[in-house]
Amino acid sequence: MEPVAVGLIGAGPWAEMAHVPMLTQSPHTRLAGVWARRPEAAARLGAPVFDRVEELFDACEAVAFCVPPAVQAELGERAARAGKALLLEKPLADSLEAARRLADAVAETGVPTQMVLTLRYAARTREFLARCAEIEPFGGHAANISASLMGDHPFATPWRLERGALLDVGPHMIDLLDAALGPVTGVRAHGHPLRWAGLLLEHEGGAVSEASLCQAGVGEMPPTSVAVYGAKGSAVLQRGGDDDPLAKVAEEFAHTVRQGGGHPLDAAHGLRLQHIIAEAEKQLRTP
């Protein structure tokens, strides 16, 4: 299969740490170029730099995004209407309205899409979810606790500092509980988005779960974990392992592009997660 020519939008720390190695090292993709608001940052990534985003669209078949959610929503819609496949970061957008506009553009144009919900591509996660399917699950919990909004952490970026853990790591935890226990049908939230946010999720079929989210921790942090319990046993997932989920992201995205779409973690899935997050945010901000 001919490698998919992917243009990258964004040149921040995650682009340098994750997207560029993923797209250049995979035999399934080729980094066709970069566009960023700061050309000097884009120049450090070792790929052709384009002055206008439209020029990047002309040079690629697909576009990968590594920008704040509001920027992804705007430029993702433009890329979709230019006929480009989209490799999208979480969350889909900064608001439900913007996420819906992007998802609508994808539906209208029919371009293939895939979300980089990184944990879902790890081998141990897929083993965990297979185990969950065997145990008739009725409940579970997830915790993602870190210090990533503190001090000079590279991910303490303006949108994260404004919106907190729910918009940043919330999609990962909600997605995993959704996959393990069934589609989320209801959410109740309490706490504070910049300190500790707790979610009680109701799932299709009657299962329930809790998620604890915090990026304001101090000192040594516990590993991210998800545990699910059922009538026939339990399953526990802790972050880590030797497999590279980003290699699987690139491989599956290339197949998504070549086959014309159909990945389960597509923009429509991202929109469904955005609905849950929007409802939880509304509750957290209610006095």
Side-chain angles (χ1 to χ4, degrees):
M1 182 176 69
E2 182 72 17
V4 174
V6 183
L8 177 62
I9 291 182
W14 187 238
E16 189 169 359
M17 293 167 56
H19 283 69
V20 170
M22 172 181 69
L23 296 171
T24 56
Q25 295 173 11
S26 173
H28 306 285
T29 56
R30 174 176 65 83
L31 181 57
V34 182
W35 177 87
R37 289 173 293 182
R38 295 181 297 120
E40 68 278 8
R44 294 198 299 266
L45 300 182
V49 177
F50 292 90
D51 294 330
R52 299 172 59 248
V53 72
E54 291 81 8
E55 294 173 349
L56 178 68
F57 294 163
D58 291 340
C60 65
E61 307 168 71
V63 179
F65 292 85
C66 195
V67 289
V71 180
Q72 174 170 269
E74 176 192 350
L75 296 182
E77 182 177 354
R78 289 169 62 181
R81 298 197 183 285
K84 305 303 172 182
L86 309 180
L87 184 61
L88 298 158
E89 268 293 345
K90 57 76 201 165
L92 192 61
D94 65 328
S95 69
L96 182 57
E97 294 75 14
R100 188 177 290 117
R101 288 195 298 271
L102 175 52
D104 286 347
V106 167
E108 291 168 13
T109 58
V111 298
T113 62
Q114 189 172 315
M115 298 285 294
V116 185
L117 289 158
T118 319
L119 296 176
R120 287 288 294 275
Y121 297 87
R124 65 168 51 197
T125 301
R126 294 181 173 185
E127 293 167 1
F128 163 76
L129 293 176
R131 170 65 178 159
C132 291
E134 298 171 348
I135 64 174
E136 298 180 8
F138 50 67
H141 60 78
N144 191 312
I145 315 300
S146 74
S148 60
L149 295 187
M150 306 300 289
D152 58 355
H153 195 283
F155 294 134
T157 54
W159 72 269
R160 292 180 174 92
L161 291 170
E162 178 186 356
R163 302 288 286 275
L166 180 57
L167 195 65
D168 185 16
V169 298
H172 287 305
M173 297 297 97
I174 295 168
D175 172 63
L176 284 174
L177 291 169
D178 183 270
L181 291 161
V184 173
T185 58
V187 58
R188 282 175 280 169
H190 67 114
H192 191 287
L194 298 182
R195 294 195 290 272
W196 188 283
L199 308 180
L200 175 62
L201 303 174
E202 299 174 357
H203 299 261
E204 188 177 284
V208 294
S209 65
E210 295 87 34
S212 299
L213 309 171
C214 176
Q215 293 174 301
V218 177
E220 187 174 351
M221 296 292 107
T224 295
S225 63
V226 184
V228 170
Y229 303 88
K232 295 183 178 180
S234 61
V236 177
L237 173 67
Q238 287 192 334
R239 195 167 186 172
D242 296 330
D243 63 298
D244 180 8
L246 292 175
K248 184 61 69 173
V249 171
E251 179 183 355
E252 294 190 8
F253 183 57
H255 284 289
T256 297
V257 174
R258 293 290 180 241
Q259 295 171 3
H263 197 278
L265 303 180
D266 61 4
H269 181 72
L271 177 60
R272 194 163 67 81
L273 294 178
Q274 196 94 33
H275 273 278
I276 299 164
I277 291 166
E279 178 58 31
E281 280 195 315
K282 184 168 62 176
Q283 295 177 30
L284 288 179
R285 293 175 176 177
T286 300

